[in-house]
Amino acid sequence: MSLVTDSPVNSSSSDDFASFLDAALESNSSGSSPEGEAEEEEDDDDDEVENNRVKRSKVEILEEVVEEACGSTLQGSLEQKLEESAKKDACTHPGSFGDMCILCGQRLEAESGVTFGYIHKGLRLHNDEIVRLRSTDMKNLLRHKKLYLVLDLDHTLLNSTQLVHLTSEEEYLKTQAASFQDVSEGSLFMLEAMHMMTKLRPFVRSFLREAHNLFELYIYTMGDRPYALAMAKLLDPRREYFGDRIISRDDGTVKHQKGLDVVLGQESAVLILDDTENAWTKHKDNLILMERYHFFRSSCHQFGFNCKSFSELKSDESEAEGALATLLQVLKQVHSMFFDEPGNDPIDRDVRQVLKTLRKEVLKGCKIVFSRVFPTKFQADNHPLWKIAEQLGASCSTELDPSVTHVVSTDAGTEKSRWAVKEKKFLVNPKWIEATNYMWQKKPEENFSVDQVENQ
């Protein structure tokens, strides 16, 4: 009989264990002296000696039984419990599923840390663990010469509308849309279960394929999670690019705001592509602002544009010269500057500084004066257009002089506008600065002329 497996030591009955010990002792004591030993004892005086010997034998047998039985079970169990208890006491509780520590399993009374529900439902990570994971992932990405790229959905990679919002001029789209069941081809999709239609932005598939080679890609949308997952299926039907890195408004920590606190990437290595600057109030230095994509009429109306949409015009943004194709080249430049710059270790570099350096090259050498662009008595250098121009590398002034290269105006009849024409300087409307900012390249001035007005 094996004492480990057959012993009743694991039983709740102490009587069973006592009976087991008695039987073991009786068995061993009966065979404890060699055969014929009794015949060699010649008088009763030896009985006391024999009794003492048998008692000692029983004690030794008892110790052996207890050591073998309890030592391999009770003692081992006790040691294991002590070890687990010590681990729980020493555990820093790096995160939790629900109210249980992910490491030691201990139930935690208070919730703390940041929720990462998009990775696993109920997952929360504490700050120290987030820092550790970001550091580890950063080192791994840098070895593969990759950075992080967070991508917005609506008006950045695609445009969606409710079916009830389609105009009569857009009804033809219903016959051209592909089914949501077949998303590997095409760019226009009918999502009947969600009562909506989605148009992918031109060049988006090529954009994702090439960007994936340089960046670890995230989706971050202010839409809800079902919408985010549906759009991810359209963009990445084979789950090659995003994996589980799909963040919706349900995952954010601040209402109506997006933040990198739920992105497992160090801020110094994260780029953001979004059409809404105000969504990233804490991370504007990481942001590359996109020109909004308005394919449907409802999208134009939402943002106050009183014009025909691409869908109504039966047209679309250019594949080769559109926003995504242009900004892919910007992303490649940023990536190249980050990794190819000689000097310090890439882990000590900051992509935000790279963005600033690259942005300042766009209008380098330009000197701009504004005319009738800002409200009366408005402090000029506080206006967004003034700040954008300076971020793009231009110098701005309120006074005319021979070094001025551009006059930005809404009225060709102002004194400054007429001076620009006379001195053969560039006279452009404010949209020239906006377009240059979106495309990260100085746009042709002749495409942004100022409408002529009669002199009063």
Side-chain angles (χ1 to χ4, degrees):
M1 176 177 72
S2 168
L3 293 174
V4 176
T5 58
D6 300 332
S7 167
V9 71
N10 294 316
S11 170
S12 61
S13 170
S14 58
D15 292 338
D16 290 342
F17 188 41
S19 300
F20 167 75
L21 289 176
D22 288 342
L25 290 171
E26 183 64 30
S27 172
N28 282 278
S29 64
S30 63
S32 60
S33 58
E35 186 180 353
E37 185 180 344
E39 285 94 347
E40 294 177 2
E41 297 175 356
E42 296 178 353
D43 54 54
D44 294 336
D45 293 339
D46 293 334
D47 289 345
E48 185 176 354
V49 175
E50 177 63 15
N51 287 335
N52 289 334
R53 188 187 66 78
V54 171
K55 287 179 181 178
R56 286 195 302 271
S57 179
K58 287 186 177 183
V59 172
E60 292 169 358
I61 292 169
L62 177 61
E63 290 175 349
E64 291 175 2
V65 171
V66 173
E67 183 179 357
E68 185 173 353
C70 296
S72 59
T73 53
L74 293 178
Q75 184 179 347
S77 177
L78 179 60
E79 289 177 352
Q80 183 178 358
K81 289 182 181 298
L82 288 172
E83 183 179 352
E84 290 176 355
S85 178
K87 284 183 178 178
K88 287 183 180 180
D89 291 340
C91 183
T92 58
H93 310 311
S96 60
F97 279 121
D99 60 353
M100 295 183 67
C101 174
I102 61 176
L103 187 59
C104 70
Q106 183 175 337
R107 194 173 297 279
L108 306 177
E109 293 183 1
E111 289 186 347
S112 61
V114 179
T115 300
F116 287 83
Y118 69 92
I119 297 177
H120 196 288
K121 186 177 181 180
L123 174 64
R124 296 179 70 89
L125 297 176
H126 293 186
N127 290 336
D128 288 347
E129 182 65 4
I130 293 172
V131 170
R132 186 190 69 82
L133 289 173
R134 283 176 175 161
S135 177
T136 301
D137 197 46
M138 175 80 163
K139 292 175 182 176
N140 180 55
L141 274 191
L142 292 183
R143 280 198 299 270
H144 293 86
K145 294 191 73 172
K146 280 192 170 187
L147 298 170
Y148 302 91
L149 180 59
V150 178
L151 297 165
D152 174 52
L153 288 177
D154 294 285
H155 306 108
T156 297
L157 299 183
L158 49 82
N159 191 202
S160 296
T161 188
Q162 294 294 315
L163 294 178
V164 296
H165 293 156
L166 290 174
T167 66
S168 58
E169 293 177 273
E170 295 175 313
E171 282 293 318
Y172 75 96
L173 296 173
K174 293 181 178 179
T175 63
Q176 297 185 1
S179 167
F180 187 63
Q181 305 305 316
D182 181 19
V183 297
S184 58
E185 299 293 337
S187 64
L188 182 66
F189 300 94
M190 181 95 74
L191 289 75
E192 295 184 2
M194 302 178 76
H195 308 291
M196 60 182 293
M197 184 178 288
T198 295
K199 172 66 172 62
L200 303 186
R201 196 166 196 163
F203 195 74
V204 68
R205 296 194 187 278
S206 298
F207 174 88
L208 292 176
R209 184 174 59 252
E210 294 194 43
H212 173 64
N213 295 326
L214 306 176
F215 300 90
E216 178 149 286
L217 303 180
Y218 280 77
I219 283 175
Y220 200 148
T221 176
M222 293 303 283
D224 61 22
R225 185 146 192 82
Y227 177 75
L229 293 175
M231 297 302 100
K233 183 178 178 181
L234 295 179
L235 295 165
D236 185 17
R238 299 182 183 87
R239 291 175 58 86
E240 299 172 277
Y241 308 134
F242 301 109
D244 295 321
R245 298 180 299 277
I246 302 170
I247 305 172
S248 69
R249 70 180 180 213
D250 307 319
D251 305 303
T253 56
V254 180
K255 195 172 183 180
H256 304 311
Q257 283 288 303
K258 297 179 180 180
L260 295 180
D261 52 346
V262 292
V263 175
L264 286 178
Q266 289 191 8
E267 292 183 22
S268 60
V270 178
L271 293 174
I272 302 165
L273 212 57
D274 202 315
D275 69 284
T276 306
E277 184 178 24
N278 291 337
W280 296 96
T281 55
K282 294 182 179 179
H283 308 286
K284 290 184 178 181
D285 289 341
N286 300 79
L287 176 66
I288 297 176
L289 192 62
M290 285 287 295
E291 184 177 13
R292 289 192 176 104
Y293 179 52
H294 300 292
F295 182 77
F296 297 106
R297 171 62 182 172
S298 63
S299 180
C300 294
H301 180 75
Q302 176 186 351
F303 288 91
F305 295 117
N306 186 24
C307 58
K308 293 276 189 179
S309 64
F310 281 129
S311 59
E312 291 173 312
L313 295 170
K314 297 185 179 181
S315 179
D316 209 346
E317 189 176 274
S318 169
E319 280 264 354
E321 299 178 2
L324 288 177
T326 300
L327 289 181
L328 177 62
Q329 300 307 313
V330 174
L331 292 172
K332 288 180 176 180
Q333 281 184 276
V334 174
H335 182 277
S336 176
M337 290 175 65
F338 186 93
F339 283 103
D340 297 342
E341 179 182 342
N344 59 335
D345 191 313
I347 202 166
D348 297 321
R349 296 174 188 168
D350 195 321
V351 73
R352 292 167 291 194
Q353 188 57 49
V354 175
L355 274 182
K356 287 181 181 179
T357 300
L358 186 58
R359 195 193 302 266
K360 280 190 171 294
E361 293 294 315
V362 177
L363 288 181
K364 185 177 180 180
C366 296
K367 185 172 182 178
I368 298 173
V369 168
F370 294 89
S371 178
R372 202 167 291 180
V373 173
F374 312 141
T376 305
K377 296 183 180 180
F378 189 92
Q379 189 171 338
D381 57 2
N382 278 339
H383 195 277
L385 283 179
W386 184 294
K387 292 181 177 180
I388 289 172
E390 289 188 331
Q391 290 170 358
L392 294 171
S395 60
C396 299
S397 175
T398 57
E399 302 296 332
L400 296 172
D401 66 59
S403 65
V404 170
T405 59
H406 293 74
V407 171
V408 177
S409 178
T410 57
D411 183 351
T414 68
E415 181 182 348
K416 291 177 181 177
S417 295
R418 292 197 298 270
W419 176 88
V421 173
K422 179 182 177 182
E423 299 296 326
K424 297 184 179 179
K425 307 292 184 177
F426 291 112
L427 177 62
V428 294
N429 67 57
K431 291 185 179 299
W432 175 74
I433 293 179
E434 295 174 2
T436 296
N437 185 47
Y438 284 133
M439 305 305 275
W440 286 62
Q441 55 184 253
K442 188 170 72 168
K443 304 303 291 182
E445 286 86 353
E446 59 269 21
N447 295 340
F448 297 88
S449 61
V450 180
D451 292 336
Q452 297 292 323
V453 296
E454 295 182 3
N455 292 328
Q456 300 297 327

Coordinates of all heavy atoms in Angstrom, one line a residue, residues 17 21-22 24-25 28 55-69:
F17 N -7.7 7.7 10.4 CA -6.2 7.8 10.4 C -5.6 7.1 11.6 O -4.6 6.4 11.4 CB -5.8 9.3 10.5 CG -4.4 9.6 10.3 CD1 -3.7 8.8 9.3 CD2 -3.7 10.5 11.0 CE1 -2.3 9.1 9.2 CE2 -2.4 10.7 10.9 CZ -1.6 10.0 9.9
L21 N -3.0 4.0 11.4 CA -1.7 3.9 12.1 C -1.6 2.7 13.0 O -0.5 2.0 13.0 CB -1.5 5.2 13.0 CG -1.3 6.5 12.3 CD1 -1.2 7.6 13.3 CD2 0.0 6.4 11.5
D22 N -2.6 2.3 13.7 CA -2.6 1.1 14.6 C -2.3 -0.2 13.7 O -1.5 -1.0 14.1 CB -4.0 0.9 15.3 CG -4.1 1.9 16.4 OD1 -3.1 2.5 16.8 OD2 -5.2 2.1 16.9
A24 N -0.8 -0.3 10.9 CA 0.6 -0.3 10.4 C 1.5 -0.6 11.5 O 2.5 -1.4 11.2 CB 0.9 1.1 9.8
L25 N 1.3 -0.2 12.7 CA 2.2 -0.5 13.8 C 2.1 -2.0 14.1 O 3.1 -2.6 14.4 CB 1.8 0.4 15.0 CG 2.1 1.9 14.9 CD1 1.4 2.6 16.1 CD2 3.6 2.1 14.9
N28 N 4.0 -4.0 11.5 CA 5.4 -3.9 11.6 C 6.0 -4.5 12.9 O 7.0 -5.1 12.9 CB 5.8 -2.4 11.5 CG 5.8 -1.9 10.1 OD1 6.7 -2.1 9.4 ND2 4.7 -1.3 9.7
K55 N 8.4 -1.0 22.2 CA 7.9 0.4 22.3 C 8.7 1.3 21.5 O 8.2 2.2 20.7 CB 7.9 0.8 23.8 CG 6.8 0.2 24.6 CD 6.9 0.7 26.1 CE 5.9 0.0 26.9 NZ 6.0 0.4 28.3
R56 N 10.1 1.2 21.6 CA 10.9 2.0 20.8 C 10.7 1.8 19.3 O 10.6 2.7 18.5 CB 12.4 1.8 21.1 CG 12.9 2.4 22.4 CD 14.4 2.4 22.5 NE 15.0 1.1 22.3 CZ 15.2 0.3 23.3 NH1 14.9 0.6 24.6 NH2 15.7 -0.9 23.1
S57 N 10.5 0.5 18.9 CA 10.2 0.2 17.5 C 8.9 0.8 17.1 O 8.8 1.3 16.0 CB 10.1 -1.3 17.4 OG 9.8 -1.7 16.0
K58 N 7.9 0.8 17.9 CA 6.6 1.4 17.6 C 6.7 2.9 17.3 O 6.1 3.5 16.4 CB 5.5 1.1 18.6 CG 5.1 -0.4 18.6 CD 3.9 -0.6 19.6 CE 3.4 -2.0 19.5 NZ 2.3 -2.2 20.4
V59 N 7.5 3.5 18.3 CA 7.7 5.0 18.1 C 8.4 5.3 16.8 O 8.0 6.2 16.1 CB 8.5 5.5 19.3 CG1 8.9 7.0 19.0 CG2 7.7 5.4 20.6
E60 N 9.4 4.5 16.5 CA 10.1 4.7 15.2 C 9.2 4.5 14.0 O 9.2 5.2 13.0 CB 11.3 3.8 15.1 CG 12.4 4.1 16.1 CD 13.5 3.1 16.2 OE1 13.3 2.0 15.6 OE2 14.5 3.3 17.0
I61 N 8.4 3.4 14.1 CA 7.4 3.1 13.0 C 6.4 4.3 12.9 O 6.1 4.7 11.8 CB 6.7 1.8 13.3 CG1 7.7 0.7 13.2 CG2 5.6 1.6 12.2 CD1 7.2 -0.7 13.7
L62 N 5.9 4.8 14.0 CA 5.0 5.9 14.0 C 5.6 7.1 13.3 O 5.0 7.7 12.5 CB 4.6 6.2 15.4 CG 3.6 7.4 15.6 CD1 2.3 7.2 14.8 CD2 3.4 7.7 17.0
E63 N 6.8 7.4 13.7 CA 7.5 8.6 13.1 C 7.6 8.4 11.5 O 7.4 9.3 10.8 CB 8.9 8.8 13.7 CG 8.8 9.3 15.1 CD 10.1 9.4 15.8 OE1 11.1 8.8 15.2 OE2 10.2 10.0 16.9
E64 N 8.0 7.1 11.2 CA 8.2 6.9 9.7 C 6.8 7.0 9.0 O 6.8 7.6 7.9 CB 8.7 5.5 9.5 CG 10.2 5.3 10.0 CD 10.6 3.9 9.9 OE1 9.8 3.0 9.4 OE2 11.8 3.6 10.2
V65 N 5.7 6.5 9.6 CA 4.4 6.5 8.9 C 4.0 8.0 8.8 O 3.6 8.4 7.7 CB 3.4 5.7 9.7 CG1 2.0 6.0 9.2 CG2 3.7 4.3 9.6
V66 N 4.1 8.8 9.9 CA 3.7 10.1 9.8 C 4.5 11.0 8.9 O 4.0 11.8 8.1 CB 3.7 10.8 11.3 CG1 3.4 12.3 11.2 CG2 2.7 10.1 12.2
E67 N 5.8 10.7 8.9 CA 6.7 11.4 8.0 C 6.4 11.1 6.5 O 6.3 12.0 5.7 CB 8.1 11.1 8.3 CG 9.1 11.8 7.4 CD 10.6 11.5 7.7 OE1 10.8 10.7 8.7 OE2 11.4 12.0 7.0
E68 N 6.1 9.8 6.2 CA 5.8 9.5 4.8 C 4.5 10.0 4.4 O 4.3 10.6 3.3 CB 5.9 8.0 4.6 CG 5.7 7.6 3.1 CD 6.0 6.1 2.9 OE1 6.4 5.4 3.8 OE2 5.7 5.7 1.8
A69 N 3.4 9.8 5.3 CA 2.1 10.1 4.9 C 1.9 11.6 5.0 O 1.5 12.3 4.0 CB 1.1 9.5 5.9

